[in-house]
Amino acid sequence: MATIYDGAFRTILNDCRKLIIPVINEIFGETYTGEEEISFFPNEHFLDRQDEADKERITDTNFTVFGKIPKKYHIECESSLPDGKITVRLFEYDAQIALDEGEVTEETLTVTFPNTAVLYLRTYQKTPDRMKYVIVTPGGTVRYDVPIMKVQTYSLEDIFGKGLLMLIPFYIFSHEKGFPEYNSDEQKLTELKAEYQEILERLDGLERQGVIGAFDKRTIIELSGDVIKEIAQKYENVQKGVGDMMSGALIETEARTILNQGIKQGIKQGKSQGISETKTQTALRLLKRGKLTVEEIAEDTGLSVAEVEQLAGLQTV
């Protein structure tokens, strides 16, 4: 059954698909640069059943990275206890993906299985480092591993150092066992909030450097809030403390985007009317601060009162 976590995982992959590249590099030891084209395929697959109606299965991800050699990948996100059924389900997905894109030439069927991995959001004592497929055929036995990424084992330094930004919405899982303490101990909760303040500040830094865009940052923050709200349902102080912090950052991000758009629009409009870019930027900054009158700003910048009033009108749009 689909969960909030599955939805968050699919959303960040579909909306911010470049963020999967560092994760692929980490799991499979690839050396993709991040400039590769990524092509996603439908997640819905119908498993053929002889004695019953075809059964629909939905994979988390099914995509191809076009590096020097195009490679197909299939990654699933799991938060439940490993029980053997997951491995069976993975193989069913892989087999159907291979069949969906199989080729028949002169009665020869060629199928290509994807490179498959699992992201475990929770790590249990019995969570292995990898799963294994052993396929016994009349022509020989095929064996290969399905690697597992254990999200809880990655620190903030690991995540930012390796560029694993798509793990940020799930970072809260590494603190799940401490929820009862955070909920009752204000000092411990303050320490948790400090970690999330660091996350927000580092995301801001990456946006300023052009490593990620405003949309990517907004998506990471929004999904982090969704996951926190879901996982901390029984812990009101954790929900409010960390969840409200992410909600506030989301509102601030949206406001900043709107303001930046207004500034760009003001500069463009000012240029079209012969107003220098420096004067326009200065006037917009002073208007934002809200401490000077329109007349004072006009005097300080050398613009006319009418020009400053026009820029002020852009900020209220």
Side-chain angles (χ1 to χ4, degrees), residues 231-248:
I231 195 174
Q233 288 184 56
K234 299 178 181 178
Y235 303 94
E236 183 179 2
N237 291 336
V238 176
Q239 266 205 354
K240 288 184 176 179
V242 187
D244 287 357
M245 176 186 292
M246 304 310 282
S247 298

Side-chain angles (χ1 to χ4, degrees), residues 30-275:
E30 300 285 6
T31 56
Y32 294 127
T33 64
E35 298 303 315
E36 294 80 8
E37 179 187 349
I38 305 173
S39 181
F40 279 74
F41 299 94
N43 289 343
E44 295 81 8
H45 298 277
F46 289 89
L47 306 182
D48 296 328
R49 304 292 194 188
Q50 258 190 332
D51 302 323
E52 57 182 285
D54 292 350
K55 187 174 183 179
E56 183 182 21
R57 282 288 176 85
I58 299 177
T59 63
D60 282 346
T61 62
N62 172 24
F63 59 94
T64 295
V65 177
F66 292 90
K68 293 180 180 178
I69 300 173
K71 289 187 179 180
K72 188 183 300 295
Y73 294 94
H74 166 213
I75 300 181
E76 293 288 317
C77 174
E78 283 291 340
S79 59
S80 57
L81 182 72
D83 59 2
K85 294 178 182 178
I86 296 170
T87 311
V88 174
R89 189 172 74 248
L90 280 175
F91 183 77
E92 286 184 326
Y93 291 161
D94 287 347
Q96 200 62 51
I97 289 169
L99 278 174
D100 287 348
E101 299 173 28
E103 296 181 354
V104 178
T105 304
E106 297 180 352
E107 300 307 316
T108 299
L109 171 63
T110 301
V111 293
T112 302
F113 275 64
N115 295 277
T116 301
V118 183
L119 269 67
Y120 266 104
L121 304 182
R122 293 184 174 100
T123 300
Y124 301 92
Q125 187 173 359
K126 63 180 294 185
T127 305
D129 293 327
R130 62 185 60 82
M131 298 176 181
K132 293 179 181 291
Y133 289 165
V134 179
I135 308 168
V136 180
T137 78
T141 300
V142 177
R143 305 169 183 266
Y144 64 95
D145 292 342
V146 174
I148 289 173
M149 172 179 265
K150 300 176 181 178
V151 174
Q152 287 181 317
T153 65
Y154 286 84
S155 66
L156 283 185
E157 287 306 315
D158 294 330
I159 288 171
F160 282 98
K162 297 181 178 183
L164 304 174
L165 303 183
M166 66 159 289
L167 300 187
I168 291 175
F170 309 109
Y171 178 68
I172 192 66
F173 277 87
S174 65
H175 288 285
E176 186 177 17
K177 291 181 179 178
F179 282 174
E181 187 175 13
Y182 297 137
N183 207 58
S184 60
D185 187 325
E186 187 173 344
Q187 177 58 39
K188 290 293 183 181
L189 182 59
T190 299
E191 292 172 5
L192 179 62
K193 289 167 65 176
E195 281 197 44
Y196 271 85
Q197 184 60 43
E198 179 185 350
I199 289 173
L200 294 172
E201 290 171 359
R202 293 179 81 158
L203 287 174
D204 280 341
L206 292 176
E207 183 189 8
R208 288 194 299 270
Q209 296 163 28
V211 176
I212 59 174
F215 180 79
D216 291 341
K217 186 183 79 171
R218 184 191 187 284
T219 302
I220 291 170
I221 294 171
E222 182 176 10
L223 294 177
S224 296
D226 290 345
V227 172
I228 290 167
K229 183 178 179 181
E230 176 70 14
I231 195 174
Q233 288 184 56
K234 299 178 181 178
Y235 303 94
E236 183 179 2
N237 291 336
V238 176
Q239 266 205 354
K240 288 184 176 179
V242 187
D244 287 357
M245 176 186 292
M246 304 310 282
S247 298
L250 188 60
I251 293 170
E252 181 183 344
T253 297
E254 290 172 342
R256 190 183 306 164
T257 299
I258 292 169
L259 175 61
N260 289 339
Q261 288 171 346
I263 290 173
K264 289 178 182 177
Q265 184 181 354
I267 291 171
K268 183 178 179 181
Q269 187 164 337
K271 279 183 172 180
S272 70
Q273 297 174 356
I275 303 173

